[in-house]
Amino acid sequence: MSHILVAGSSSRFLGLIPPKPNVFSYNFDSHLITDLTKNQQIKKIISGGAYKYIYNCIWTEDDKIYFYPLENNYNMPVLISNNSKYFTTITEDKYEINLKQVILDLSDDNDDDDYNEFRMKDIFGNAVGLFFWMKNGNLFNLNFNLGFKQVKTLQSKIITRFGTGIMSDRYCIKNDKCESFLCGESKDLKEIKIENQDPIFFGCYNTETDIIITKENKLFKKSNDVFHYKSSLFEKESKVVDLKCGYRHSVILLENQSIYAFGFNSLYQCGVFNYTSGENIDEPTKLTIPLKLPILSIQCTSRGTCIVCKDEIIFIGEVVESEINKTKRISTSNLEDNNYFNAVACGPWHYIVYKKNEKISKSLEYFTNNLGKRNVKLTDVVVYFE
């Protein structure tokens, strides 16, 4: 069985009460994994929401999507009731999302020969919903206020880039026509135009601030509905490979394994410790804390930053016990059961550290349940047996 480690002041949202705020709770949360069979492997955990909504979502290797809303979430019972054909009740607080039915109902032109129509590329979450990005480029959104919809632009439904923020109700997309758009929770898409620049990374704050990094490695920050260029030291250092945003801070990972951060530094979440806590870091500043390379990923909570390395996971800001120990490190190996952790899901005020499946395989159940009678070439099929 997969193990999950929960840390942070909001462990109560996962059925755990830590000994005191912002201190690790080294309990394994069986609630999220009780109903996974021994052959189901975790591909990704998505943990999100803010204030009105707190949720966790498990995406398994056989492309099942399990949704765990917090009990008494605002409007969630109504949402599930109104969209009952898309939710299968497993327990009173666990549901399976029937994404295939969502796609069949909402897609304009279902293609019986499109092998990738029901194959998931990735899942994202923000303050008000989940986003399901399919391998054929289609993007579907479960908005907790509005229900399911397909996200598409006037010129194309093929989405090539996506970005949001863990505490934001906004998101950005880019289509296969090289057009970029910003969308609020219930607003129409608004085209993003930056002259002579090609946006490729997007991030959104809780406030009306959005961050863009272009193919040319330039940083732009939105204020008063206009994206303004912001010079940065990383611009000529190395190519940006990832951008993550918290409540009001941004973390940037470069190809050369350098990390830069800027924005709110209230809990030293930018990794800059020679500032008074609470001061903003206006310029992207390189993290100088020692790291065991390679870096696998970066993540953000509201006021926290997480760096996942091959041999350890480093937490900055939230979940750190005191100002004296400004970082918290845990080994990715768990010697008691020969297990190890290799991934982190960030919620609004907590982390979930877990082991994801690293096998490049698809189960027979995946093809049976998701492809049905669709035409599949035998060369496309890889079946893995435990």
Side-chain angles (χ1 to χ4, degrees):
M1 178 176 285
S2 299
H3 281 158
I4 296 174
L5 174 66
V6 179
S9 58
S10 290
S11 294
R12 64 184 182 276
F13 295 129
L14 298 110
L16 298 175
I17 306 297
K20 59 181 180 177
N22 291 331
V23 178
F24 271 82
S25 175
Y26 285 102
N27 301 75
F28 290 108
D29 180 15
S30 60
H31 168 76
L32 286 178
I33 58 177
T34 299
D35 297 314
L36 295 185
T37 68
K38 67 178 182 179
N39 291 326
Q40 279 187 304
Q41 309 228 5
I42 295 174
K43 184 178 289 187
K44 186 176 183 180
I45 295 180
I46 304 90
S47 186
Y51 310 114
K52 294 188 297 184
Y53 309 106
I54 303 292
Y55 64 87
N56 297 288
C57 180
I58 292 182
W59 173 23
T60 63
E61 184 270 338
D62 56 349
D63 268 15
K64 300 289 187 182
I65 306 168
Y66 297 108
F67 180 56
Y68 303 79
L70 174 69
E71 186 179 0
N72 298 324
N73 256 337
Y74 174 83
N75 197 47
M76 199 66 76
V78 176
L79 170 77
I80 293 172
S81 176
N82 290 343
N83 294 270
S84 58
K85 66 186 295 188
Y86 304 131
F87 291 94
T88 299
T89 302
I90 307 297
T91 65
E92 62 181 1
D93 53 3
K94 175 183 177 181
Y95 304 86
E96 182 181 343
I97 295 177
N98 304 320
L99 188 59
K100 181 177 180 179
Q101 190 62 52
V102 173
I103 294 170
L104 290 172
D105 288 352
L106 299 184
S107 290
D108 295 331
D109 50 349
N110 296 119
D111 183 357
D112 286 345
D113 295 323
D114 187 354
Y115 171 60
N116 289 319
E117 183 175 6
F118 298 127
R119 296 185 69 200
M120 203 105 61
K121 180 177 183 178
D122 210 340
I123 303 179
F124 308 95
N126 67 5
V128 294
L130 286 161
F131 297 84
F132 308 96
W133 196 12
M134 313 310 292
K135 287 195 172 183
N136 66 354
N138 286 349
L139 181 67
F140 296 89
N141 173 217
L142 168 57
N143 182 288
F144 298 148
N145 287 321
L146 306 174
F148 287 95
K149 70 173 182 178
Q150 182 175 3
V151 178
K152 53 189 175 181
T153 68
L154 185 63
Q155 298 298 324
S156 177
K157 66 176 183 178
I158 306 301
I159 306 303
T160 59
R161 292 278 181 173
F162 175 86
T164 186
I166 191 67
M167 300 294 289
S168 182
D169 63 359
R170 300 182 312 287
Y171 59 91
C172 298
I173 58 172
K174 181 180 179 180
N175 64 20
D176 60 348
K177 309 297 183 184
C178 291
E179 300 171 319
S180 299
F181 298 87
L182 171 67
C183 187
E185 182 182 3
S186 57
K187 300 175 183 176
D188 294 331
L189 293 173
K190 182 177 181 180
E191 188 169 3
I192 299 169
K193 291 186 177 181
I194 303 177
E195 189 173 354
N196 300 321
Q197 297 292 313
D198 184 8
I200 57 173
F201 291 102
F202 306 94
C204 303
Y205 288 0
N206 175 266
T207 57
E208 290 293 324
T209 300
D210 304 291
I211 306 295
I212 283 178
I213 297 174
T214 67
K215 188 176 181 180
E216 296 75 19
N217 232 40
K218 296 184 182 295
L219 171 67
F220 290 82
K221 184 177 180 181
K222 183 169 73 70
S223 62
N224 298 321
D225 279 338
V226 177
F227 281 94
H228 300 278
Y229 169 67
K230 190 176 182 66
S231 63
S232 57
L233 292 176
F234 68 76
E235 188 174 316
K236 296 182 179 180
E237 178 182 339
S238 182
K239 180 182 176 182
V240 172
V241 294
D242 201 5
L243 164 68
K244 291 293 192 301
C245 291
Y247 177 66
R248 292 187 187 180
H249 80 288
S250 299
V251 182
I252 298 165
L253 175 63
L254 305 186
E255 192 172 50
N256 68 355
Q257 300 282 277
S258 292
I259 295 177
Y260 283 77
F262 65 97
F264 266 21
N265 198 42
S266 55
L267 295 177
Y268 303 107
Q269 59 263 45
C270 290
V272 181
F273 307 123
N274 58 350
Y275 276 56
T276 301
S277 177
E279 289 187 11
N280 273 6
I281 307 300
D282 294 326
E283 302 298 326
T285 304
K286 184 182 287 190
L287 269 67
T288 58
I289 62 175
L291 299 172
K292 294 182 178 180
L293 303 180
I295 298 170
L296 303 181
S297 68
I298 55 173
Q299 303 288 340
C300 290
T301 61
S302 173
R303 297 182 299 165
T305 298
C306 175
I307 304 167
V308 182
C309 300
K310 182 179 179 181
D311 296 319
E312 69 175 357
I313 301 172
I314 300 96
F315 301 90
I316 314 170
E318 281 176 311
V319 312
V320 177
E321 296 182 22
S322 68
E323 293 188 3
I324 297 174
N325 302 312
K326 296 184 175 69
T327 65
K328 170 75 76 173
R329 296 168 183 263
I330 64 170
S331 170
T332 56
S333 61
N334 181 346
L335 300 179
E336 289 186 3
D337 56 7
N338 294 317
N339 211 331
Y340 68 95
F341 301 111
N342 57 8
V344 176
C346 285
W349 305 283
H350 65 275
Y351 304 90
I352 299 178
V353 184
Y354 64 101
K355 178 183 177 181
K356 70 176 181 180
N357 177 31
E358 293 183 308
K359 298 172 184 173
I360 303 174
S361 63
K362 289 293 179 185
S363 67
L364 181 61
E365 184 181 7
Y366 170 84
F367 293 98
T368 303
N369 291 344
N370 291 284
L371 296 177
K373 297 181 180 179
R374 296 179 180 277
N375 297 323
V376 184
K377 298 177 182 178
L378 289 178
T379 54
D380 293 331
V381 178
V382 178
V383 180
Y384 172 78
F385 294 96
E386 289 283 42

